[in-house]
Amino acid sequence: MSVLEKGLSEEEQLSKFMAKIEAGEKIEADDWMPEDYRTALIKLISMHGISEIMGALPEKEWVPKAPSLKRKLGIMAKVQDEMGHGQMLLRVTEDLLKPYGKTREDLMQDLFKGDLKFHNVFHMATKSWADAGMVGWLVDGAAIITQTNMLNASYGPYARALKRICSEEVFHAQHGEAIIMALTEGTVEQKLMIQECLNRWWDSLLMFFGPASKQTTGSSKQDITMKYRIRTKTNEELRQIFFTKYIPRILSLGLTIPDETIHFDQEKQEWIYQQPDWNEFKEIIKGNGPKSQERLDLRRTSYETNKWVRDALAK
Amino acid sequence: MTENDPINQDYQKAVIELLYQLADDDFIHAFRGSEWLGLAPHIEEDVAFSSISQDTMGHTAMFYRLLEELGEGSADHLAQGRSSIERKNCVLVELVNGPGNYMEKPRYDWAFAVVRNYFYTQAKAIKIQSLKNSSYKPLSDAAVKVKMELYFHLLHWKTWFTQLMTSTDEARKRMEEATERVFAELDGVFSQGSYRVKIVDFGLIEDETILRKLWIQELSPIFQSINLTMPESFGMKHGNGRDGEHTGDLEQAIQTLSEVYRLNPAAAW
Amino acid sequence: MKRINGSGTLWRNRWGDRGGYMVEEAKKTFYEEYEVFSKRTSTTPMQYQFSLLAPNDDMALMMAQENFMRREPVADIWVVKRSNIRKVTVEERDMLQRLDNKDYRTAKGYGYLKKKWRHYEQQMIDEKEILSWGGDQRNDGK
């Protein structure tokens, strides 16, 4: 698809491209880019975008149920932001898809067919109001760590979208913290509710960062994204940052981490922890998670039920 | 006037009654809007619609707080702790968004959403305009604030209404059906219930017949422009919500919106 | 898409890596692309925000503010259909380059006047001085 600049060979284009990103310059949608850069971006950003759209659903389960006027407003704004983040990321993806003639419609169909995956955490069930807090606090906390890792991504439109997204994530984290603290400082039942919730989410949170290497699950896109300066840190480095930032905070609220072995090894300068079941991770991503099909069905039903609206105005 | 003055007591009762109508209307309306979150026909629209639901929930909070100040209990309790027979909202806002549930097979009806939102918001705008001259100062102050946000709500729904009405045959058919359903309950939106005379005599708001007339005046040119006939009269098919008449849809709504709160109404959430 | 040399409607560069004049295949969909611009206050300039998909101008406008400016004041909004924007193509970007020899066009090229004015025992009227005239200070003859 890429059209060569006058007189430059493919190799010359590539070395110009690499020199540009290595100098910290940004690539824009219209610029020449190697095919595998484009495909890596499409894969990464479409998954990120659709994860926001699918990720709105588990939290949305608690939107109409939020237990006070203030919480009703807060969680509406929070889930709205997730949809808004999805909007921006899908726009970035859609512009990258132009050479292939694909549109948002195709992205939605890819999602329904199971070709476009979404993050493992959004395949999980929510069971109590504590989940609304947990998603805002720790799931978004994990997301903030992976997203800030790409704030300087070589692809300009993605970096700019992430900048907008990350500034809104600050509100999300605080919204989550407010819910969590109300529970940890609340009644015995509320404390049990949040501890049970943490126990359920812990493995999913570890999985969120992806496997440490492709040996773990057989595939990993971290190599190519690092080569092209889309991200700078490995999955494991990000997971370790998450531990460092959040473990002390979790413990300070009187919560227990459901992993007796977890500790910081001073000599190795890293957190030692129990690995989650990476086979389960693979199954979840494939669409065999506890709520995968239900959530897809929810999205599909609403998309198809409203098709007449899009048809009506498409003229 | 003193606390125990019978006129003062009567006045306060009328204020409280009207505030319940306004607060419950917006609360249930915003709740139905919040069920749509994530399920609208288009992502960009989903985001815009949610802002409207949030604004409306914000107006709700203002009205419940006025009730709180009059000793009716905490705003959160008033919103979540009252049973369906105690509710004063009109039936139109309580009706479900469509078949299914927001958690499962939501076959929500966008035509109904557009028409209900447009007609309701227009009625609200007319009431708010009248409330700006309310004899109850805290309410007229609140009306001035609410009015600021209604311009966008109204323009947003009017755009959807007129565009879908003038698009495909299928859309027109769906929109006309939705319009009929909304008209069948529209009288309930204007109704001031059994306190009507006092509410009006005390100068809290204009009479419902005037409000209804203004609504017709406002929408007639829009109807004409899209070749739609204004019906001779509206209805109150499932009863008058102002007097506690409601459908099972409201019961379901209250169950959902208070599910967590009811675990422990005394707890901080 | 076919390429037409010389004539035809200007092909609005869809993904920019091709220049030239082409006929656009105009099939309108629900998903038209709009660029969104806004002003924060009445005195600030228009600023680019982001893009959105909408079926037409009015709908794009109805969605613009809540999608990109939910948390900031807005004094004005423009939505522009992307296909109406004539962008510089990648090939045309070469036209943006120029030599650094245009001192004659800037104050920098006239810096020597400062010294000359000193000779006439006057101060040079520089940018700082000129922009300070916009205020409502009184003319006291000095």
Side-chain angles (χ1 to χ4, degrees):
Chain A
M1 265 323 140
S2 44
V3 171
L4 297 185
E5 198 179 293
K6 281 161 280 179
L8 287 184
S9 70
E10 181 94 23
E11 289 97 284
E12 285 168 325
Q13 285 279 26
L14 182 61
S15 69
K16 241 181 103 177
F17 170 88
M18 289 307 292
K20 203 171 164 184
I21 61 173
E22 273 155 24
E25 283 179 53
K26 301 291 176 203
I27 304 302
E28 296 300 323
D30 296 348
D31 292 346
W32 183 91
M33 61 184 83
E35 197 68 20
D36 59 346
Y37 180 74
R38 186 184 292 276
T39 51
L41 285 172
I42 289 171
K43 208 170 168 193
L44 175 75
I45 307 169
S46 64
M47 182 184 170
H48 187 179
I50 214 72
S51 292
E52 300 273 3
I53 300 293
M54 293 305 289
L57 295 177
E59 263 184 301
K60 150 67 192 290
E61 292 174 6
W62 298 94
V63 167
K65 298 178 180 178
S68 72
L69 289 165
K70 192 179 166 192
R71 295 281 182 251
K72 283 180 196 295
L73 285 163
I75 195 167
M76 265 200 262
K78 203 270 180 180
V79 176
Q80 173 191 40
D81 281 355
E82 305 298 0
M83 293 300 289
H85 296 173
Q87 190 277 341
M88 288 191 275
L89 295 164
L90 291 185
R91 283 300 306 125
V92 173
T93 311
E94 286 150 15
D95 284 346
L96 283 163
L97 283 170
K98 281 281 169 67
Y100 308 112
K102 288 179 84 176
T103 65
R104 183 173 301 175
E105 178 67 34
D106 300 297
L107 285 170
M108 296 310 289
Q109 296 308 329
D110 284 352
L111 171 72
F112 300 146
K113 278 184 285 178
D115 295 342
L116 178 51
K117 315 281 190 217
F118 55 101
H119 270 305
N120 69 297
V121 280
F122 305 125
H123 294 250
M124 308 309 286
T126 71
K127 289 194 173 136
S128 72
W129 170 246
D131 290 69
M134 189 57 68
V135 173
W137 187 37
L138 294 185
V139 175
D140 277 31
I144 290 169
I145 288 170
T146 56
Q147 288 171 161
T148 48
N149 179 42
M150 295 185 288
L151 274 176
N152 293 315
S154 57
Y155 189 57
Y158 190 38
R160 289 192 293 273
L162 285 173
K163 204 171 159 221
R164 290 185 83 114
I165 291 170
C166 287
S167 66
E168 289 183 349
E169 295 284 2
V170 178
F171 148 67
H172 296 185
Q174 286 161 4
H175 159 83
E177 285 165 17
I179 295 175
I180 296 290
M181 283 188 196
L183 296 176
T184 58
E185 291 168 5
T187 64
V188 177
E189 288 79 13
Q190 285 176 313
K191 284 176 189 158
L192 285 172
M193 185 189 270
I194 184 64
Q195 181 63 55
E196 183 276 334
C197 178
L198 178 63
N199 296 351
R200 252 186 308 116
W201 279 95
W202 187 251
D203 277 1
S204 299
L205 287 165
L206 300 187
M207 290 176 190
F208 183 86
F209 298 94
S213 70
K214 61 177 164 226
Q215 279 77 41
T216 321
T217 55
S219 80
S220 167
K221 56 181 185 291
Q222 55 181 330
D223 300 341
I224 190 158
T225 51
M226 288 175 79
K227 171 180 136 193
Y228 282 132
R229 306 216 169 203
I230 297 165
R231 61 189 283 187
T232 53
K233 295 192 181 74
T234 65
N235 291 348
E236 190 54 35
E237 284 171 318
L238 294 172
R239 193 165 19 242
Q240 291 285 331
I241 294 173
F242 176 76
F243 290 145
T244 301
K245 299 270 184 230
Y246 285 97
I247 287 176
R249 288 177 168 82
I250 294 170
L251 298 176
S252 76
L253 295 178
L255 293 165
T256 310
I257 291 167
D259 174 358
E260 286 168 15
T261 66
I262 199 160
H263 66 280
F264 190 73
D265 188 317
Q266 291 293 348
E267 232 165 77
K268 288 187 188 157
Q269 283 293 300
E270 65 173 30
W271 291 89
I272 309 297
Y273 62 98
Q274 198 86 54
Q275 288 293 321
D277 181 351
W278 288 107
N279 283 323
E280 193 190 319
F281 174 76
K282 271 203 290 188
E283 283 303 309
I284 291 170
I285 294 292
K286 265 198 254 165
N288 300 323
K291 287 278 173 184
S292 313
Q293 292 310 315
E294 273 168 69
R295 298 248 163 82
L296 277 173
D297 203 40
L298 205 59
R299 178 71 50 232
R300 195 184 291 119
T301 304
S302 66
Y303 192 73
E304 283 164 8
T305 305
N306 291 318
K307 184 175 179 292
W308 71 270
V309 179
R310 293 184 298 273
D311 288 346
L313 301 187
K315 59 163 182 73
Chain B
M1 285 196 288
T2 64
E3 282 279 311
N4 299 320
D5 188 322
I7 298 174
N8 192 19
Q9 279 186 356
D10 256 18
Y11 182 79
Q12 182 149 329
K13 259 193 198 158
V15 170
I16 287 171
E17 183 64 25
L18 178 61
L19 282 173
Y20 272 123
Q21 296 179 7
L22 296 166
D24 287 348
D25 266 2
D26 268 1
F27 183 57
I28 301 298
H29 187 61
F31 166 79
R32 288 297 178 210
S34 80
E35 285 188 307
W36 265 103
L37 184 51
L39 305 172
H42 182 46
I43 295 167
E44 280 83 345
E45 170 57 21
D46 213 309
V47 176
F49 184 8
S50 179
S51 281
I52 294 176
S53 298
Q54 288 167 44
D55 291 349
T56 308
M57 191 63 87
H59 303 163
T60 298
M62 289 164 68
F63 294 134
Y64 280 133
R65 230 157 270 142
L66 291 182
L67 283 163
E68 189 177 303
E69 284 162 17
L70 290 169
E72 288 293 290
S74 78
D76 280 325
H77 163 76
L78 296 175
Q80 303 171 103
R82 290 156 56 233
S83 69
S84 57
I85 36 168
E86 293 171 87
R87 301 276 169 163
K88 300 292 162 81
N89 62 276
C90 59
V91 169
L92 179 66
V93 293
E94 73 194 41
L95 299 178
V96 293
N97 289 313
N101 176 281
Y102 78 84
M103 305 265 271
E104 213 190 338
K105 293 271 172 218
R107 300 198 183 282
Y108 283 2
D109 182 351
W110 186 248
F112 184 60
V114 168
V115 179
R116 169 160 67 178
N117 270 284
Y118 183 39
F119 288 12
Y120 174 82
T121 308
Q122 183 63 69
K124 179 175 166 182
I126 285 164
K127 286 185 210 176
I128 289 292
Q129 184 64 31
S130 176
L131 287 169
K132 280 170 73 187
N133 300 315
S134 178
S135 64
Y136 188 59
K137 183 77 171 32
L139 186 51
S140 66
D141 290 346
V144 171
K145 288 187 190 158
V146 169
K147 187 174 190 276
M148 283 198 286
E149 292 185 326
L150 290 183
Y151 193 86
F152 169 64
H153 300 185
L154 208 47
L155 192 56
H156 177 271
W157 294 119
K158 182 183 162 188
T159 305
W160 272 104
F161 182 76
T162 51
Q163 286 206 9
L164 286 177
M165 276 288 189
T166 52
S167 57
T168 57
D169 291 345
E170 187 193 357
R172 177 78 185 200
K173 191 167 156 277
R174 285 174 184 267
M175 289 294 286
E176 283 184 2
E177 278 167 15
T179 304
E180 262 175 51
R181 287 185 57 208
V182 173
F183 273 131
E185 299 293 351
L186 197 62
D187 270 335
V189 179
F190 297 106
S191 170
Q192 290 158 338
S194 48
Y195 273 75
R196 173 181 172 187
V197 176
K198 283 199 167 147
I199 286 172
V200 176
D201 282 356
F202 282 126
L204 296 176
I205 190 170
E206 279 158 296
D207 187 77
E208 59 184 64
T209 51
I210 298 173
L211 302 175
R212 194 190 292 100
K213 219 175 108 193
L214 288 169
W215 189 93
I216 294 168
Q217 252 173 42
E218 206 60 53
L219 282 203
S220 290
I222 314 286
F223 273 45
Q224 264 169 26
S225 72
I226 56 168
N227 247 328
L228 199 66
T229 319
M230 182 69 73
E232 291 295 314
S233 62
F234 310 149
M236 228 166 4
K237 195 174 160 191
H238 292 96
N240 191 346
R242 311 297 183 209
D243 297 332
E245 293 169 5
H246 294 289
T247 64
D249 290 2
L250 180 63
E251 189 53 42
Q252 170 264 321
I254 291 170
Q255 288 304 315
T256 304
L257 66 86
S258 65
E259 185 185 305
V260 180
Y261 172 79
R262 277 183 289 113
L263 292 177
N264 186 348
W269 292 97
Chain C
M1 254 176 264
K2 60 181 175 175
R3 188 180 279 265
I4 292 171
N5 288 324
S7 64
T9 33
L10 180 64
W11 181 62
R12 292 101 173 191
N13 206 285
R14 293 288 282 271
W15 58 93
D17 50 5
R18 291 167 209 199
Y21 291 83
M22 298 187 79
V23 173
E24 174 155 293
E25 288 163 22
K27 189 186 169 289
K28 195 187 162 299
T29 72
F30 183 83
Y31 296 125
E32 296 293 309
E33 294 166 327
Y34 283 87
E35 301 291 354
V36 177
F37 301 80
S38 76
K39 267 161 78 93
R40 201 182 162 85
T41 68
S42 61
T43 54
T44 50
M46 270 290 170
Q47 198 188 358
Y48 177 63
Q49 291 291 349
F50 215 85
S51 71
L52 58 74
L53 299 183
N56 52 57
D57 296 2
D58 288 343
M59 280 292 178
L61 190 61
M62 285 306 112
M63 296 165 186
Q65 182 177 4
E66 297 313 309
N67 270 270
F68 307 121
M69 296 146 296
R70 289 196 287 286
R71 293 182 169 86
E72 58 181 79
V74 187
D76 199 3
I77 300 175
W78 288 355
V79 290
V80 186
K81 207 167 177 183
R82 189 184 276 182
S83 58
N84 286 332
I85 299 177
R86 168 64 166 89
K87 291 205 286 185
V88 173
T89 66
V90 172
E91 283 164 2
E92 288 167 344
R93 270 188 217 162
D94 286 348
M95 81 179 183
L96 305 175
Q97 296 170 18
R98 57 168 79 110
L99 287 176
D100 179 22
N101 63 351
K102 309 218 174 351
D103 280 359
Y104 58 87
R105 200 183 257 175
T106 65
K108 205 173 136 199
Y110 302 88
Y112 68 97
L113 292 177
K114 192 172 182 176
K115 211 169 148 189
K116 288 183 77 78
W117 276 117
R118 210 176 293 141
H119 172 76
Y120 295 110
E121 297 182 345
Q122 291 291 329
Q123 273 195 349
M124 182 170 164
I125 296 174
D126 57 10
E127 190 185 355
K128 196 176 155 205
E129 166 84 25
I130 288 175
L131 292 179
S132 77
W133 294 349
D136 29 288
Q137 84 239 37
R138 292 181 48 187
N139 186 0
D140 56 6
K142 278 183 241 164

